[in-house]
Amino acid sequence: MDDDHIASIPFGDAYAEAYDALYGDKDYAHECDVLERVLAACGSPGRRLLDLGCGTGGHAIPFASRGYEVVGADRSEAMLAIARRKSERLEVHCADVRRFSIPRTFDVALLMFAVLGYQLEDEDVLAALKTARQHLSPGGLVAFDVWYGPAVLAQRPSNRRKVIDLPDGQIVRSASASLLPQQHRCRVDYEVRRLGGGRLVSETHESHEVRYFFSGELDLFLRDGGFSRVHLSAFPQTEREASEETWNVLV
């Protein structure tokens, strides 16, 4: 599949419709448990939460069910439509996290499931962090997970195939991955096929580039965004230190 046939903006309509099925094995409730514990240990001042890059509400909805006042933002209207179907009471806004602004403040800002990694240029990363800072009350915390550079370089990205069985067929996702070390990025080209009744129902292709980070540059971004780092660990196994074995880390 050449680049002309691959969607340039991730999380389009077809991919969004398959998203929750593809990540049905992701334990969002447990991740929220972990986040609550770490945020409390870091001195979180309250229960007003801004979820930047909220997607289909995987973290926002569990937090709302626990009594948090939650607002979500995401640039994919297709993903937000699913979030609204799952929870009519969830307040969400269609907006780029680099430019989102509402006249309210929160105790916690989240950028979870590699949201910060989708900000590819330095100015994009800093803009997303400044959005979080703009919306935080005094003493507020920002929490995000990213791909950890030492682990990405040690383990290297690989091609993968995932098959999800549905009552009326299957979703098959093929992922072709490559490393772009000069840019500190991985590129993953996805093919998502929906099968039903012994035939191909739909097919979509997307190219995702995700940036990975090293601890020193994270500290620089955080400083320039108005933050100081108080936590860095593997995620969701936060008892483990970040290392070449921990592809995903929580900051």
Side-chain angles (χ1 to χ4, degrees):
M1 181 62 62
D2 60 50
D3 287 352
D4 292 338
H5 292 85
I6 297 177
S8 58
I9 299 178
F11 308 111
D13 291 359
Y15 196 95
E17 284 298 326
Y19 186 86
D20 281 353
L22 289 169
Y23 294 103
D25 55 353
K26 183 175 174 64
D27 194 343
Y28 285 102
H30 174 66
E31 291 188 5
C32 291
D33 291 341
V34 172
L35 285 166
E36 279 195 298
R37 184 170 64 249
V38 173
L39 289 166
C42 293
S44 176
R47 299 174 71 82
R48 296 169 301 160
L49 188 148
L50 176 63
D51 190 352
L52 296 168
C54 65
T56 64
H59 295 103
I61 293 171
F63 271 114
S65 71
R66 300 177 189 199
Y68 285 77
E69 176 190 331
V70 179
V71 174
D74 200 284
R75 71 178 183 180
S76 171
E77 180 56 48
M79 299 280 275
L80 292 179
I82 295 169
R84 293 187 189 103
R85 291 205 302 262
K86 290 160 65 176
S87 175
E88 294 180 356
R89 294 184 298 173
L90 182 66
E91 179 184 342
V92 292
H93 300 262
C94 188
D96 191 310
V97 299
R98 297 169 296 177
R99 292 179 285 275
F100 174 68
S101 180
I102 57 174
R104 291 160 65 182
T105 58
F106 300 84
D107 304 304
V108 175
L110 299 180
L111 297 102
M112 296 302 299
F113 209 178
V115 168
L116 201 65
Y118 277 91
Q119 316 310 313
L120 299 179
E121 303 295 340
D122 289 357
E123 56 266 30
D124 300 327
V125 175
L126 192 55
L129 288 173
K130 286 184 174 179
T131 294
R133 183 68 184 86
Q134 169 193 338
H135 291 91
L136 285 177
S137 58
L141 297 171
V142 63
F144 55 85
D145 64 332
V146 292
W147 292 359
Y148 192 53
V152 173
L153 296 180
Q155 299 178 34
R156 319 290 287 192
S158 60
N159 299 339
R160 298 188 180 186
R161 186 171 183 268
K162 189 170 190 176
V163 179
I164 306 296
D165 291 320
L166 303 173
D168 58 350
Q170 289 182 322
I171 294 175
V172 180
R173 185 184 68 181
S174 300
S176 176
S178 58
L179 194 63
L180 306 173
Q182 297 301 317
Q183 293 83 24
H184 289 188
R185 302 178 194 171
C186 291
R187 171 174 168 148
V188 186
D189 293 326
Y190 289 112
E191 175 191 77
V192 180
R193 305 168 76 228
R194 186 180 288 270
L195 309 174
R199 64 183 183 87
L200 177 65
V201 176
S202 65
E203 181 176 354
T204 189
H205 298 260
E206 290 194 356
S207 179
H208 294 213
E209 284 193 22
V210 181
R211 181 171 180 161
Y212 52 87
F213 295 87
F214 297 85
S215 59
E217 67 176 333
L218 284 171
D219 286 343
L220 289 174
F221 280 127
L222 289 167
R223 183 199 66 191
D224 290 347
F227 295 99
S228 58
R229 175 166 62 86
V230 293
H231 179 91
L232 174 65
S233 71
F235 184 73
Q237 303 86 4
T238 54
E239 70 280 358
R240 297 175 59 191
E241 293 185 358
S243 72
E244 292 183 352
E245 297 180 352
T246 57
W247 188 289
N248 207 45
V249 296
L250 176 68
V251 182

